[in-house]
Amino acid sequence: MNSPVPHPALREWRAHMAHPTRAVALIGVAAILALIGPFDTAEVMRPLPRAAYWLVHVGASYSAGYIANGLADRTAPDSTAWRIAIAGPLTGLLVLAIVYLLNGFALGYWAQGQSLGLLAANVMAIAVIVSAIFQLAHATVPPQATTRHPPTLLERLPLDKRAPLVALSVEDHYVRIRTTKGEEMILMRLADAIRETAATPGLQVHRSHWVAFDQVVAVRRKGDGALLQMSHGPDVPVSRANLPKLREAGLLPR
């Protein structure tokens, strides 16, 4: 069964949320809110459900802001005002939906009429203010002057085949280097070839194969391993031992 590869934005969100420092910070905020019990949650909820409530609330609201601000950055990269105009209301709508549903299912409180209007106004105001602070802070940070150099490995290829890497495969004492413009056999070890891929995001999925993440089109399970459908050329096998790494990279469902 084919499993489409998660969208790059989803992989980016997973990596962002899984960062240890960020995860600890979000859990810490949720713990503080659970202890304080604002908005009468201390009176209507027991400690354990209250902790779960605030953990979901904080994680989902932060994710909503991250997604909204990411969309704003891609939509209007050169205009701070437009980024705020997009990120603020979008964050507010997402968080409002989260708060409304969470309060309804967890507390049995479904805001209506004036109460819903007041809740929406407060959430929107906070979302716009927080988004503006983040966007203005982001705008004041000078961009880093970094130059992304192509992988050193490409220098071993003929000029007409130098293009984004797709996969590396061992054949006898040679490595077959596959790019989006063709293939070439080079006499070298796979370990050395992988070192020369530089900053290209990828993974050794088999003792004889390495793949570039952004060239994986689909994944399907085969026996106790898997097969990767690539953007160019034949499928690449994944050994059983490397399936956990594939899941960590977001290429397989957990």
Coordinates of all heavy atoms in Angstrom, one line a residue, residues 41-78:
T41 N -10.9 27.2 35.8 CA -10.6 25.8 35.6 C -10.2 25.1 36.9 O -10.4 23.9 37.0 CB -9.5 25.6 34.5 OG1 -8.3 26.4 34.9 CG2 -9.9 26.1 33.2
A42 N -9.6 25.8 37.8 CA -9.3 25.2 39.1 C -10.5 24.8 39.9 O -10.5 23.8 40.7 CB -8.4 26.2 40.0
E43 N -11.6 25.5 39.7 CA -12.8 25.2 40.4 C -13.7 24.1 39.8 O -14.4 23.4 40.5 CB -13.7 26.5 40.5 CG -13.2 27.5 41.5 CD -12.0 28.3 41.0 OE1 -11.9 28.4 39.8 OE2 -11.2 28.7 41.8
V44 N -13.6 24.0 38.5 CA -14.5 23.0 37.8 C -13.8 21.8 37.3 O -14.4 20.8 36.8 CB -15.1 23.7 36.6 CG1 -16.0 24.9 37.0 CG2 -14.1 24.1 35.5
M45 N -12.4 21.7 37.5 CA -11.7 20.5 37.0 C -10.8 20.0 38.1 O -10.2 20.8 38.8 CB -10.9 20.9 35.7 CG -11.7 21.4 34.6 SD -10.7 21.8 33.1 CE -10.4 20.1 32.5
R46 N -10.6 18.7 38.1 CA -9.6 18.1 39.0 C -8.2 18.3 38.4 O -8.1 18.6 37.2 CB -10.0 16.6 39.1 CG -11.3 16.3 39.9 CD -11.5 14.8 40.0 NE -12.7 14.5 40.7 CZ -12.8 14.5 42.1 NH1 -11.8 14.7 42.8 NH2 -14.0 14.2 42.6
P47 N -7.2 18.1 39.2 CA -5.8 18.4 38.8 C -5.4 17.7 37.5 O -4.8 18.3 36.6 CB -5.0 17.9 40.0 CG -5.9 18.1 41.2 CD -7.2 17.7 40.7
L48 N -5.6 16.3 37.4 CA -5.2 15.6 36.2 C -5.9 16.0 35.0 O -5.2 16.3 33.9 CB -5.3 14.1 36.5 CG -4.6 13.2 35.4 CD1 -3.1 13.5 35.4 CD2 -4.8 11.7 35.8
P49 N -7.2 16.1 35.0 CA -7.9 16.6 33.7 C -7.5 18.0 33.4 O -7.4 18.4 32.2 CB -9.4 16.5 34.1 CG -9.4 15.4 35.2 CD -8.2 15.6 35.9
R50 N -7.3 18.8 34.5 CA -6.9 20.2 34.2 C -5.5 20.3 33.6 O -5.3 21.1 32.7 CB -6.9 21.0 35.6 CG -6.7 22.5 35.4 CD -7.0 23.2 36.7 NE -6.1 23.1 37.7 CZ -6.3 22.5 38.9 NH1 -7.5 22.0 39.1 NH2 -5.4 22.4 39.8
A51 N -4.6 19.5 34.0 CA -3.3 19.4 33.4 C -3.4 19.0 31.9 O -2.7 19.6 31.0 CB -2.4 18.5 34.1
A52 N -4.2 18.0 31.6 CA -4.4 17.6 30.2 C -5.0 18.7 29.4 O -4.7 18.9 28.2 CB -5.2 16.3 30.2
Y53 N -6.0 19.3 30.0 CA -6.7 20.4 29.3 C -5.7 21.5 28.9 O -5.7 21.9 27.7 CB -7.8 21.0 30.2 CG -8.4 22.3 29.7 CD1 -9.6 22.3 29.0 CD2 -7.9 23.5 30.1 CE1 -10.2 23.4 28.5 CE2 -8.5 24.7 29.7 CZ -9.6 24.7 28.9 OH -10.2 25.8 28.4
W54 N -4.9 22.0 29.8 CA -4.0 23.0 29.5 C -2.8 22.6 28.6 O -2.3 23.4 27.7 CB -3.4 23.7 30.7 CG -4.4 24.6 31.4 CD1 -5.0 24.4 32.6 CD2 -4.9 25.8 30.8 NE1 -5.9 25.5 32.8 CE2 -5.8 26.4 31.8 CE3 -4.7 26.5 29.7 CZ2 -6.5 27.5 31.6 CZ3 -5.3 27.7 29.5 CH2 -6.2 28.2 30.4
L55 N -2.4 21.3 28.6 CA -1.4 20.8 27.7 C -1.9 20.8 26.3 O -1.2 21.3 25.4 CB -1.0 19.4 28.2 CG 0.2 18.8 27.4 CD1 1.4 19.6 27.5 CD2 0.4 17.4 27.8
V56 N -3.2 20.4 26.1 CA -3.8 20.4 24.8 C -4.0 21.8 24.3 O -3.7 22.2 23.2 CB -5.1 19.6 24.8 CG1 -5.8 19.8 23.4 CG2 -4.9 18.1 25.1
H57 N -4.4 22.7 25.2 CA -4.7 24.1 24.9 C -3.4 24.8 24.4 O -3.4 25.4 23.4 CB -5.3 24.8 26.1 CG -6.0 26.0 25.9 ND1 -5.5 27.0 25.0 CD2 -7.2 26.5 26.4 CE1 -6.4 28.0 24.9 NE2 -7.4 27.8 25.8
V58 N -2.4 24.6 25.2 CA -1.1 25.3 24.9 C -0.5 24.8 23.6 O -0.1 25.5 22.7 CB -0.1 25.2 26.1 CG1 1.3 25.6 25.6 CG2 -0.6 26.0 27.3
G59 N -0.4 23.4 23.5 CA 0.2 22.8 22.3 C -0.6 23.2 21.0 O 0.0 23.6 20.0
A60 N -1.9 23.1 21.1 CA -2.7 23.4 19.9 C -2.7 24.9 19.5 O -2.6 25.2 18.3 CB -4.2 22.9 20.1
S61 N -2.8 25.7 20.5 CA -2.7 27.2 20.2 C -1.4 27.6 19.7 O -1.3 28.4 18.8 CB -3.1 28.0 21.5 OG -4.4 27.7 22.0
Y62 N -0.3 27.1 20.2 CA 1.0 27.4 19.7 C 1.2 26.9 18.3 O 1.7 27.6 17.4 CB 2.1 26.8 20.6 CG 3.5 27.1 20.1 CD1 4.1 28.3 20.5 CD2 4.2 26.2 19.3 CE1 5.4 28.6 20.1 CE2 5.4 26.5 18.8 CZ 6.1 27.7 19.2 OH 7.3 28.0 18.8
S63 N 0.7 25.7 18.0 CA 0.7 25.2 16.7 C -0.1 26.0 15.7 O 0.4 26.3 14.6 CB 0.2 23.7 16.6 OG 1.0 22.9 17.4
A64 N -1.2 26.5 16.2 CA -2.0 27.4 15.3 C -1.3 28.7 15.0 O -1.3 29.1 13.8 CB -3.3 27.7 16.0
G65 N -0.6 29.3 16.0 CA 0.2 30.5 15.7 C 1.3 30.2 14.8 O 1.7 31.0 13.9
Y66 N 2.0 29.1 15.0 CA 3.1 28.7 14.1 C 2.7 28.5 12.7 O 3.4 29.0 11.7 CB 3.8 27.4 14.6 CG 4.9 26.9 13.8 CD1 6.2 27.4 13.9 CD2 4.7 25.8 12.9 CE1 7.2 26.9 13.1 CE2 5.7 25.4 12.1 CZ 7.0 25.9 12.2 OH 8.0 25.4 11.4
I67 N 1.6 27.8 12.5 CA 1.1 27.6 11.1 C 0.7 28.9 10.5 O 1.0 29.2 9.3 CB -0.1 26.6 11.1 CG1 0.4 25.2 11.6 CG2 -0.8 26.5 9.8 CD1 -0.7 24.2 11.9
A68 N 0.0 29.7 11.2 CA -0.5 31.0 10.6 C 0.6 31.9 10.3 O 0.6 32.6 9.2 CB -1.5 31.7 11.6
N69 N 1.6 32.0 11.2 CA 2.8 32.9 10.9 C 3.6 32.4 9.8 O 4.2 33.1 9.0 CB 3.6 33.1 12.2 CG 3.0 34.1 13.1 OD1 3.2 35.3 13.0 ND2 2.2 33.7 14.1
G70 N 3.7 31.0 9.7 CA 4.5 30.4 8.6 C 3.8 30.7 7.2 O 4.5 31.1 6.2
L71 N 2.5 30.7 7.2 CA 1.7 31.0 6.0 C 1.9 32.5 5.6 O 2.1 32.8 4.5 CB 0.2 30.7 6.2 CG -0.7 31.0 5.0 CD1 -0.3 30.2 3.8 CD2 -2.1 30.7 5.4
A72 N 1.9 33.3 6.6 CA 2.1 34.7 6.4 C 3.5 35.0 5.9 O 3.6 35.9 4.9 CB 1.8 35.5 7.7
D73 N 4.5 34.3 6.4 CA 5.8 34.5 5.9 C 6.0 34.2 4.4 O 6.7 34.8 3.7 CB 6.8 33.7 6.7 CG 7.0 34.3 8.1 OD1 6.6 35.5 8.3 OD2 7.4 33.6 9.0
R74 N 5.3 33.1 4.0 CA 5.4 32.6 2.7 C 4.5 33.5 1.7 O 4.9 33.6 0.5 CB 4.9 31.1 2.5 CG 5.9 30.2 3.2 CD 5.5 28.7 2.8 NE 4.3 28.3 3.5 CZ 4.2 27.8 4.7 NH1 5.3 27.7 5.4 NH2 3.0 27.5 5.2
T75 N 3.4 34.0 2.2 CA 2.5 34.8 1.4 C 3.0 36.2 1.2 O 2.9 36.7 0.1 CB 1.1 34.9 2.0 OG1 0.7 33.5 2.3 CG2 0.1 35.6 1.1
A76 N 3.6 36.8 2.2 CA 4.0 38.2 2.1 C 5.4 38.3 2.8 O 5.6 39.0 3.8 CB 3.0 39.2 2.8
P77 N 6.5 37.7 2.1 CA 7.8 37.7 2.8 C 8.4 39.1 2.9 O 9.3 39.3 3.8 CB 8.6 36.8 1.8 CG 7.9 36.9 0.5 CD 6.5 37.0 0.8
D78 N 8.0 40.0 2.1 CA 8.7 41.3 2.1 C 7.9 42.5 2.7 O 8.2 43.6 2.6 CB 9.0 41.8 0.6 CG 10.0 40.8 0.0 OD1 10.9 40.2 0.6 OD2 9.8 40.5 -1.2

